[in-house]
């Protein structure tokens, strides 16, 4: 796809599991928060935290988790291999990139700064700022419009099957990122749905870089 990159005018990236390998951090912090709240944490806490009866309001629980997440993003969350270099390579080819995320934007910015991604991200939208989840295409359409590109000229990178379906139905090309958090059934479905699937950015980076820089 990127061997013929002159046909691509913009790129939109999800963050968790797509640009950043944040799944281990989220697993760790949900257990840490449960311990702080005095909860005997089940093995599947990461998936079932919202169903637990916790002491405190929803707002307090949410803020507690966000506080831990902000520290994790700022200090420890690594990139998906090659992500920062790929963003830079896109920028050098005048292909602007935006972020479309369901996560807290303020939490992500320190990670982007630490990993040298910030100079290559032209805009950030969240489901909160848009007011709709990724079950609706609004966040992708807003990012594309901000980058002055039509959906058919824009590539969306996603690791969540439902979000990839939304982007694909809205006319975007979609590259599925098969992060460690993606379940096997979703991996198979992403491979069928997406224009291409990757586990990291090494191969795509090789397509963008000249031979002497690969």
């Amino acid at each position: 796809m990127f061997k013929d990159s002159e046909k691509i005018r913009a790129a939109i990236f999800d963050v968790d599991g797509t640009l950043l390998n944040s799944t281990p951090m989220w697993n760790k912090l949900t257990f840490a928060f449960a311990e702080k709240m005095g909860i005997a944490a089940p093995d599947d806490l990461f998936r079932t935290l919202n169903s637990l009866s916790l002491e405190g309001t929803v707002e307090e629980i949410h803020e507690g988790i966000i506080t831990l997440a902000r520290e994790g993003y700022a200090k420890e969350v690594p990139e998906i291999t090659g992500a920062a270099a790929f963003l830079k390579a896109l920028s050098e080819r005048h292909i602007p990139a935006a972020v479309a995320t369901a996560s807290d934007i303020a939490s992500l910015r320190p990670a982007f700064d630490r990993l040298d991604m910030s100079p290559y991200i032209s805009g950030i939208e969240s489901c909160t700022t848009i007011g709709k989840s990724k079950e609706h295409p609004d966040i992708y359409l807003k990012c594309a419009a901000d980058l002055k590109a039509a959906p058919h000229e824009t590539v969306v990178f996603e690791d969540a099957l439902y979000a990839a379906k939304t982007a694909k139905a809205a006319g975007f090309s979609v590259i599925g990122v098969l992060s460690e958090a993606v379940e096997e059934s979703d991996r198979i479905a992403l491979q069928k749905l997406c224009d291409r699937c990757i586990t990291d950015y090494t191969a795509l980076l090789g397509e963008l870089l000249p031979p002497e820089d690969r």
Side-chain angles (χ1 to χ4, degrees), residues 182-197:
V182 179
E183 295 183 358
E184 185 61 28
S185 60
D186 284 355
R187 284 175 176 262
I188 295 170
L190 282 166
Q191 288 169 336
K192 292 180 179 178
L193 171 75
C194 296
D195 297 274
R196 181 170 179 174
C197 285

Side-chain angles (χ1 to χ4, degrees), residues 89-172:
L90 288 177
S91 178
E92 290 173 346
R93 280 146 189 80
H94 308 291
I95 301 173
V99 160
T101 181
S103 294
D104 172 61
I105 292 175
S107 299
L108 302 176
R109 292 189 187 278
F112 293 155
D113 290 343
R114 175 173 54 82
L115 295 168
D116 298 322
M117 294 182 179
S118 292
Y120 313 114
I121 296 174
S122 298
I124 303 176
E125 293 289 348
S126 75
C127 293
T128 300
T129 62
I130 295 298
K132 292 184 179 180
S133 74
K134 288 185 179 181
E135 292 179 347
H136 306 272
D138 301 60
I139 192 168
Y140 304 116
L141 296 172
K142 177 63 164 61
C143 286
D146 288 346
L147 299 177
K148 297 180 172 53
H152 73 273
E153 301 170 314
T154 306
V155 180
V156 171
F157 291 77
E158 275 285 357
D159 72 320
L161 178 59
Y162 82 96
K165 287 180 177 178
T166 299
K168 190 70 175 173
F172 294 88

Side-chain angles (χ1 to χ4, degrees), residues 41-106:
D43 291 340
D44 61 350
L45 175 63
F46 180 60
R47 300 184 183 280
T48 62
L49 182 63
N50 288 337
S51 68
L52 295 176
S53 177
L54 303 179
E55 181 181 353
T57 66
V58 171
E59 290 78 12
E60 289 170 341
I61 294 166
H62 177 265
E63 186 57 35
I65 293 175
I66 289 297
T67 297
L68 291 172
R70 285 177 177 167
E71 183 176 355
Y73 281 117
K75 296 181 179 179
E76 66 182 69
V77 169
E79 67 171 358
I80 299 293
T81 301
F86 183 66
L87 288 171
K88 181 181 179 181
L90 288 177
S91 178
E92 290 173 346
R93 280 146 189 80
H94 308 291
I95 301 173
V99 160
T101 181
S103 294
D104 172 61
I105 292 175

